[in-house]
Amino acid sequence: MVELISNFGFLAVIYLVLNIIAFAAYGLDKTKASLNKWRVPEKTLLILAFFGPFGAYAGMLVFRHKTQKKPFTWAVPLFMLIHLILIGIFIFF
């Protein structure tokens, strides 16, 4: 039982870090866009959103970034839904 809690804590920290990285990447890309500098590729942002959808969504809202781009308007909420389902399965089953 203790090992399960320990593993869960480790996974929770990893998941939190992935979401923070996604959030930061959206902020970095927004900053770079406003300065007309090198940008984070959209493919990279979507990959980060797949692994950290809550951070990506928060980044979209906080930085008002990629909120009009079609792939982001449907993919990020879809990734969040998938993660919520997986988290529910992990917790309850």
Side-chain angles (χ1 to χ4, degrees):
M1 181 68 171
V2 173
E3 185 178 323
L4 178 63
I5 293 170
S6 176
N7 288 340
F8 179 74
F10 178 73
L11 290 175
V13 169
I14 296 292
Y15 193 66
L16 178 64
V17 168
L18 288 171
N19 278 282
I20 290 169
I21 290 169
F23 179 81
Y26 278 72
L28 175 66
D29 191 51
K30 178 66 174 196
T31 301
K32 297 285 188 171
S34 65
L35 298 173
N36 288 325
K37 297 210 174 191
W38 167 87
R39 304 278 303 275
V40 178
E42 287 187 352
K43 182 178 178 180
T44 301
L45 291 174
L46 285 170
I47 290 169
L48 289 170
F50 179 77
F51 291 104
F54 301 104
Y57 188 69
M60 288 174 67
L61 295 179
V62 169
F63 303 115
R64 289 185 263 161
H65 191 52
K66 301 292 185 190
T67 57
Q68 302 299 313
K69 293 272 196 165
K70 289 283 185 205
F72 292 89
T73 60
W74 64 265
V76 175
L78 176 64
F79 296 156
M80 286 177 25
L81 178 62
I82 291 168
H83 279 243
L84 285 172
I85 291 168
L86 292 173
I87 290 167
I89 289 170
F90 183 75
I91 290 173
F92 295 110
F93 293 104

